[in-house]
Structure formats: structure tokens, C-alpha cells
């Protein structure tokens, strides 16, 4: 029986996801296996190798977005999964926004992000 869960995300840019994970100090692999319960492994396009025996993975869907794949039970044994996933999503959102601003030729513009809870 698999312990892996698949969650939809709004992530659409693999390079920005990888950069965001690295910014957070998380090791990144591509075309690798996500580690799960009892040695189970699942292939993913992008894998965040975490401390311990469990990883986070993202697989690209046909629409260009990425699904998050993880053994969330296992992740929770060592990490606060909500905080971990939220920090990755927040870093991705900031990096994606900055990338969009630069693509529009606004390198010298001030960017103000307003975050709400």
C-alpha cells in the first residue's frame, strides 16, 4: 500500500522551483526518486531531498503545472509539513514575481509585495 499523496499546485516554472528550493537550503535533484514509507520510491521530475528518509517531489502535468508528491505522514515525522510546503510556495511566488518583473524590462523598478494572512 502506497503512502504517497499527490497535491495540486500552482507551480508552473521548473527553473524557478529549483532555484527557490536552493534558496531555502534544500538539495535539488531532477529526474530522481522520491523516498517514502518502508523504502517505497516514486519517480518525479524534481525532487527536494530532505533530512531523514522522506522527500518531496514534483511531476509535470500535461497542462504545464506541477503536482507535489510526498509521503506526508513520513515528512511530518521530522518536519512541520505545513510550514515546509508553505515556505517553498512563498519562496516560489516571490521568485516568480521577480522573474516576471525582470522579463518586462523593469530591472531598476522597485517591487513591493504585500502579503496577507
Amino acid at each position: 500500500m502506497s503512502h504517497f499523496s499527490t497535491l495540486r499546485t500552482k507551480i508552473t516554472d521548473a527553473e524557478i522551483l529549483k532555484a527557490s528550493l536552493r534558496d531555502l537550503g534544500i538539495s535539488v535533484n531532477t529526474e530522481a526518486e522520491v523516498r517514502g514509507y518502508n523504502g517505497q520510491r516514486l519517480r518525479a521530475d524534481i525532487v527536494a531531498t530532505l533530512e531523514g528518509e522522506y522527500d518531496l517531489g514534483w511531476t509535470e502535468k500535461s497542462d504545464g503545472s506541477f503536482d507535489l508528491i510526498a509521503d506526508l505522514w513520513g515528512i511530518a515525522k521530522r518536519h512541520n509539513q505545513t510550514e515546509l510546503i508553505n515556505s517553498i510556495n512563498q519562496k516560489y511566488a516571490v521568485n516568480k514575481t521577480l522573474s516576471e518583473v525582470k522579463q518586462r524590462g523593469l530591472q531598476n523598478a522597485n517591487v513591493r509585495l504585500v502579503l496577507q494572512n
Side-chain angles (χ1 to χ4, degrees), residues 7-11 16-17 20-21 24 56 58 66 68 81-97 115:
L7 305 172
R8 285 186 170 170
T9 74
K10 295 188 180 206
I11 292 172
I16 292 176
L17 173 60
S20 299
L21 292 167
L24 294 168
L56 297 173
W58 288 265
F66 286 81
L68 172 64
Q81 65 186 7
T82 302
E83 285 181 15
L84 177 62
I85 293 169
N86 284 345
S87 68
I88 293 167
N89 287 336
Q90 287 173 357
K91 181 56 90 172
Y92 174 85
V94 168
N95 287 344
K96 181 72 171 164
T97 300
L115 306 175

Side-chain angles (χ1 to χ4, degrees), residues 71-87:
D71 181 336
L72 296 174
W73 174 85
I75 297 290
K77 288 173 44 178
R78 184 162 254 215
H79 305 275
N80 180 322
Q81 65 186 7
T82 302
E83 285 181 15
L84 177 62
I85 293 169
N86 284 345
S87 68

Side-chain angles (χ1 to χ4, degrees), residues 103-117:
Q103 284 181 2
R104 290 187 170 85
L106 302 174
Q107 284 88 343
N108 296 325
N110 290 324
V111 177
R112 181 175 160 208
L113 296 176
V114 178
L115 306 175
Q116 290 182 293
N117 213 358

Side-chain angles (χ1 to χ4, degrees), residues 19-72:
S20 299
L21 292 167
R22 289 185 191 108
D23 287 350
L24 294 168
I26 299 171
S27 177
V28 179
N29 294 299
T30 56
E31 298 297 321
E33 292 181 331
V34 180
R35 299 174 296 159
Y37 175 74
N38 203 23
Q40 292 178 355
R41 294 178 182 267
L42 198 60
R43 194 104 176 123
D45 298 313
I46 299 169
V47 176
T49 305
L50 303 175
E51 292 179 19
E53 303 170 13
Y54 301 89
D55 302 318
L56 297 173
W58 288 265
T59 57
E60 189 170 11
K61 296 179 2 179
S62 60
D63 67 358
S65 67
F66 286 81
D67 280 345
L68 172 64
I69 298 170
D71 181 336
L72 296 174

